Amino acid sequence: MANDKKQGPIRYGMVGGGRGAFIGGVHRIAARMDGEFVLVAGALSSNPERAKASAAELGLDPERTYASYAAMAKAEADRPDGIEAVAIVTPNNHHFPAAKAFLEAGIHVICDKPLATTLAEAKKLAGLVEKTGRVFVLTHNYTAYPMVRQAQEMVAGGALGDIRLVQVEYPQDWLTEDISASGNKQASWRSDPKQAGAGGATGDIGTHAYNLARFVTGLELHSLAADLDAFVPGRLLDDNLNVLLRFKARGTAPAAKGMLWASQVAPGHENGLKLRVYGSKGGLEWVQADPNYLWHTPFGEPKRLLTRGGAGALASANRLTRIPAGHPEGYLEGFANIYREAAAAIRAARIGQPPPHDVIFPTVHDGVEGMAFIEACVRSSRNDGAWTKL
């Protein structure tokens, strides 16, 4: 065929994300927001009929609608106009085998979190990414909100001084009752250890909270003490976690401490992700429900409101800002920013170059650390909250 793999929009395929799947639609919106990607192939469901119907709704060529990710990886790798990247938006247990199949086929991977169902699988993927040299992007989308990038740059630049305290929380209420018993597919697989892995809320939203804290502060975790609960009777995986965090010391500053709370049984909360960071010179607070604002309080001075695209916005925030200040940007734009960063990395890979220095995205190594966090939380909780190293 005439099309060359190194020309035009980035051709991508999708594994999972068919009818009834929330996150697949989010990925598709994010991928097309900046015109960098075009969806040309899919293995959209493990159910062949649903896969075909979903592909037809999206206008995919029937010849590029596959019954399995394995068939898709092989066929697309052999096509002159085959996909350059794949988005994996399945339940957790398919992340590892699907990513492995596409990496081995020489195809870049954009994968939903968590990376796998076990730390051992995650480490194998990291080794495969290094071996193949393919771009691997993990969609911790909150790291791509402009004011989160602003917070990261401020911390790195010393605006808060030595970091002392980190508090992060992510409460939801949608699993307060056992809705999986009534056939809710999204709840069912998240409550099934065979599909979700060892962590319930820990893997689903606790990893988001942990990743956000790590991203903004740049701190490395030394150890944690976790208390995990499954409050809903009969639920096999945790729906609430309270975690104390001890970070590694940096330089002559005392080691920072932290607290992480995530819950899916907290009535009144929808997606209440919040981060607070306190240092020797001041503090920062960011709330995902109001993402265009970042509160900065220099010690001994009045609290200051920094706004996306407004006065005081830094270059790291402005490069991910699409519209003028005062017009809300949020979840979909944050996801799209991850895809924009992925596109920059893939375009650089087309010509054998590394991504530009200001391109930032969560990598397979963030995924490995996320799995280490999950497994450490589970071990600690089973050991009555004992301090546990990653």
Side-chain angles (χ1 to χ4, degrees):
M1 296 186 179
N3 289 338
D4 186 275
K5 285 194 175 187
K6 294 185 178 181
Q7 300 298 320
I10 297 165
R11 295 181 295 280
Y12 84 105
M14 181 167 283
V15 176
R19 282 179 171 178
F22 160 74
I23 201 64
V26 170
H27 276 256
R28 290 190 289 271
I29 291 169
R32 66 175 178 260
M33 190 172 288
D34 294 301
E36 293 277 10
F37 292 85
V38 58
L39 180 66
V40 297
L44 301 175
S45 174
S46 57
N47 180 299
E49 294 305 315
R50 188 181 295 119
K52 290 180 181 178
S54 300
E57 289 179 358
L58 295 173
L60 293 183
D61 184 342
E63 291 186 2
R64 301 180 78 173
T65 300
Y66 300 94
S68 71
Y69 59 77
M72 177 175 160
K74 184 178 185 305
E76 290 294 318
D78 289 340
R79 293 179 64 109
D81 63 345
I83 61 172
E84 294 174 82
V86 65
I88 300 172
V89 295
T90 63
N92 303 348
N93 60 313
H94 295 298
H95 291 181
F96 170 72
K100 180 176 181 292
F102 285 95
L103 288 170
E104 290 177 340
I107 294 168
H108 306 295
V109 174
I110 302 169
C111 185
D112 213 41
K113 47 85 338 235
L115 181 59
T117 56
T118 69
L119 179 57
E121 288 181 344
K123 289 180 176 178
K124 288 179 182 177
L125 274 185
L128 193 54
V129 170
E130 183 175 353
K131 178 181 178 181
T132 62
R134 298 297 85 188
V135 174
F136 193 102
V137 180
L138 194 69
T139 53
H140 277 300
N141 58 302
Y142 300 112
T143 64
Y145 281 55
M147 299 315 286
V148 169
R149 295 292 178 90
Q150 171 99 9
Q152 183 201 43
E153 186 173 349
M154 290 176 68
V155 170
L160 271 60
D162 294 329
I163 303 303
R164 294 171 170 172
L165 302 170
V166 182
Q167 294 189 326
V168 61
E169 64 183 56
Y170 197 157
Q172 301 174 332
D173 66 2
W174 73 291
L175 293 180
T176 297
E177 297 181 339
D178 185 13
I179 60 174
S180 63
S182 61
N184 185 299
K185 184 179 179 181
Q186 298 301 316
S188 295
W189 77 255
R190 284 174 170 83
S191 302
D192 179 4
K194 293 181 180 179
Q195 297 184 76
T202 304
D204 197 29
I205 57 176
T207 51
H208 269 313
Y210 175 65
N211 178 263
L212 179 66
R214 282 274 291 108
F215 179 80
V216 170
T217 66
L219 296 172
E220 293 184 64
L221 192 64
H222 175 270
S223 54
L224 57 80
D227 187 17
L228 276 55
D229 290 286
F231 282 111
V232 174
R235 182 165 286 161
L236 299 178
L237 293 174
D238 62 274
D239 50 28
N240 187 88
L241 57 145
N242 293 284
V243 188
L244 294 176
L245 307 170
R246 288 176 177 169
F247 295 97
K248 294 179 181 179
R250 294 198 301 192
T252 58
K257 303 293 179 69
M259 293 187 292
L260 184 154
W261 170 52
S263 181
Q264 293 176 316
V265 292
H269 290 282
E270 294 167 339
N271 280 281
L273 180 60
K274 178 189 292 186
L275 175 68
R276 289 174 288 180
V277 182
Y278 303 101
S280 57
K281 294 181 180 179
L284 289 175
E285 181 174 350
W286 181 78
V287 179
Q288 194 271 152
D290 216 356
N292 295 280
Y293 298 147
L294 176 68
W295 288 99
H296 175 215
T297 307
F299 178 66
E301 298 182 25
K303 196 172 186 177
R304 302 171 181 176
L305 180 62
L306 301 171
T307 62
R308 182 199 53 77
L314 300 174
S316 57
N318 287 335
R319 66 175 290 272
L320 296 184
T321 294
R322 290 178 170 77
I323 54 179
H327 297 286
E329 288 187 355
Y331 182 79
L332 293 174
E333 290 86 356
F335 236 109
N337 284 338
I338 292 288
Y339 268 85
R340 181 193 289 183
E341 303 284 62
I346 293 169
R347 291 189 181 281
R350 282 177 170 180
I351 57 174
Q353 297 293 323
H357 70 90
D358 56 352
V359 169
I360 302 171
F361 53 84
T363 69
V364 70
H365 300 294
D366 294 289
V368 170
E369 188 173 355
M371 290 307 307
F373 170 77
I374 294 170
E375 294 197 1
C377 284
V378 172
R379 292 199 311 274
S380 173
S381 187
R382 288 176 177 170
N383 198 23
D384 200 26
W387 284 100
T388 304
K389 292 184 179 181
L390 263 67

